[in-house]
Amino acid sequence: MRKIYLDYAATAPCDPEVVKAMEPYFFERFGNASSLHAYGQEAKKALEDSRALTAGFLGAKAEEIIFTSGGTESDNNVIFGVAEALASKGNHIITSAIEHHAITEPCKVLEKKGFKVTYVGVDKDGLVSPDDVKKAITDKTILISVMHANNEIGTIQPIAAIGKLAREKGVYFHTDAVQTVGHIPVDVNALNVDLLSLSGHKFYGPKGVGALYIRKGTRIGRFLCGGDQEKGRRASTHNISGIVGLARAIELCARDMGKEAEALLSLRAKLIQEIPARVPEVRLNGHPQLRLPNNVNFSIKYIEGESILLSLDMLGIAVSTGSACTSSSLEPSHVLLAIGLDHATAHGSLRITMGRWTKESDIDYLLENLPKVVEKLRAMSPLYEKKRAN
Ligand code: PLP
């Protein structure tokens, strides 16, 4: 059976070049970067070279990067770490209604401890208004966190504008750039951010490794306490092979990102044109232009996204109904509800995310099969039956 992977926003396969770069660090270069002997120093050099490369890609300084276990840890560290460091200054955090759970869950934990969190809403395309953020700022606000691009609907936020107003008000600004790093340009100075999260497995690096950018002078508490790795900011023996893999993945993105995005934009345009042409009663979710080059999200009325996903899976096509983290829950996605969809329409959402190895023939195969799957499922749908009877 043909196998087509269209769920790159959930995770991407490692680039073979990444695995090649990592391999020696499992074997002859296995040292602990904190050791003083030659094995350790070899690992330390790989660590610092990777840090410099990662920083350079983001327009940051090497000392402003710490390596973490991924996007979740970086996000959690920002929310808990800033809350801890600035507790005497204030207890108010502003974020958006469409953030990843790696941001909203720690916010909920803080709310239980007495912090106030404002979840700024979005418009029908999923855009956060900088004006709304500005209005939410109080003299107790210590942090604003707005994601660079949404993992479900792909909408890219006006981060530079929000960052500018955060700076004017003297409030730290974080962006979760897990879905953008390696895919579209990300520069910490152009974006006016103080803190930024990224994750290796979203851009063809290994899973379980990420980074957090911390602008020099930003006060933030530690997330992991123990040894003095990362200058005491993040304890635990360095995952050198993972860090080397992440840096190699960044090198490849720096080289190929532009032409990859161009190819993906043309496949995205084809999907956005052809799905509504072939499948009646669908709605594109997310901003029509300000969206990730690899992301398409449609609500397909009268049927469940999960049924479409499973039917496509039987044909060898892997897609998603929302973020992988929420797809095991029966609750509709908070992102789709935030853009104003009713529960039924939100339940019928399908996310198609492409990547480095997606071919036009893969998209054609999906376009050939999706209308048949939808027709079959609608034929069994009581909602569709009711609509036709009216
Ligand atoms: N933030 C966003 C926007 C994501 O899409 C994800 C993963 O899907 C994460 C954070 C969590 O990243 P990780 O899987 O590296 O913990």
Side-chain angles (χ1 to χ4, degrees), residues 99-333:
E99 297 299 306
H100 191 272
H101 293 294
I103 290 290
T104 55
E105 287 300 314
C107 282
K108 283 186 205 158
V109 171
L110 289 182
E111 281 180 288
K112 285 195 191 121
K113 294 183 175 170
F115 275 78
K116 305 261 176 297
V117 181
T118 303
Y119 299 89
V120 173
V122 293
D123 70 8
K124 65 176 192 353
D125 295 323
L127 275 178
V128 173
S129 144
D131 229 34
D132 290 349
V133 175
K134 193 173 177 178
K135 282 186 206 136
I137 299 175
T138 72
D139 57 356
K140 292 273 178 254
T141 310
I142 51 169
L143 174 70
I144 300 170
S145 177
V146 176
M147 69 201 317
H148 193 189
N150 183 265
N151 45 301
E152 293 185 42
I153 57 175
T155 299
I156 300 171
Q157 302 297 342
I159 295 302
I162 301 171
K164 185 165 173 279
L165 69 90
R167 191 156 297 164
E168 282 162 8
K169 297 277 184 185
V171 178
Y172 287 164
F173 182 44
H174 166 251
T175 193
D176 173 342
V178 165
Q179 290 290 339
T180 52
V181 168
H183 302 285
I184 61 173
V186 174
D187 181 295
V188 292
N189 296 311
L191 293 177
N192 299 319
V193 295
D194 302 303
L195 299 143
L196 180 143
S197 308
L198 62 90
S199 176
H201 72 107
K202 306 290 187 181
F203 53 88
Y204 318 108
K207 292 174 185 52
V209 59
L212 175 60
Y213 159 74
I214 306 172
R215 186 177 291 279
K216 198 165 186 279
T218 306
R219 288 166 59 200
I220 178 167
R222 293 177 297 176
F223 189 62
L224 291 184
C225 310
D228 67 353
Q229 290 90 353
E230 302 294 84
K231 299 202 174 100
R233 292 180 297 180
R234 200 268 183 189
S236 184
T237 301
H238 289 101
N239 170 8
I240 295 294
S241 56
I243 290 167
V244 165
L246 178 136
R248 182 67 184 132
I250 282 181
E251 246 178 347
L252 298 175
C253 289
R255 190 188 70 193
D256 298 335
M257 198 171 80
K259 62 175 193 287
E260 271 175 23
E262 229 171 87
L264 291 171
L265 278 173
S266 121
L267 296 180
R268 188 187 82 181
K270 187 168 189 172
L271 284 169
I272 290 180
Q273 186 182 324
E274 287 300 317
I275 291 181
R278 296 178 193 213
V279 183
E281 302 211 55
V282 297
R283 175 197 195 276
L284 178 68
N285 297 317
H287 196 282
Q289 287 90 35
L290 297 174
R291 72 186 300 136
L292 290 167
N294 74 330
N295 170 294
V296 167
N297 185 313
F298 276 99
S299 282
I300 301 183
K301 285 191 138 186
Y302 312 116
I303 47 180
E304 297 266 325
E306 280 72 17
S307 320
I308 314 173
L309 183 153
L310 294 174
S311 304
L312 289 174
D313 193 39
M314 286 196 283
L315 296 164
I317 306 170
V319 294
S320 161
T321 52
S323 69
C325 324
T326 54
S327 52
S328 56
S329 138
L330 289 177
E331 279 297 300
S333 132

Side-chain angles (χ1 to χ4, degrees), residues 335-365:
V335 177
L336 298 177
L337 295 181
I339 61 170
L341 299 194
D342 57 55
H343 276 230
T345 311
H347 269 305
S349 84
L350 199 66
R351 180 184 75 177
I352 300 157
T353 48
M354 305 168 285
R356 186 165 287 169
W357 294 282
T358 307
K359 299 188 285 294
E360 187 160 8
S361 58
D362 299 337
I363 297 306
D364 291 338
Y365 186 66

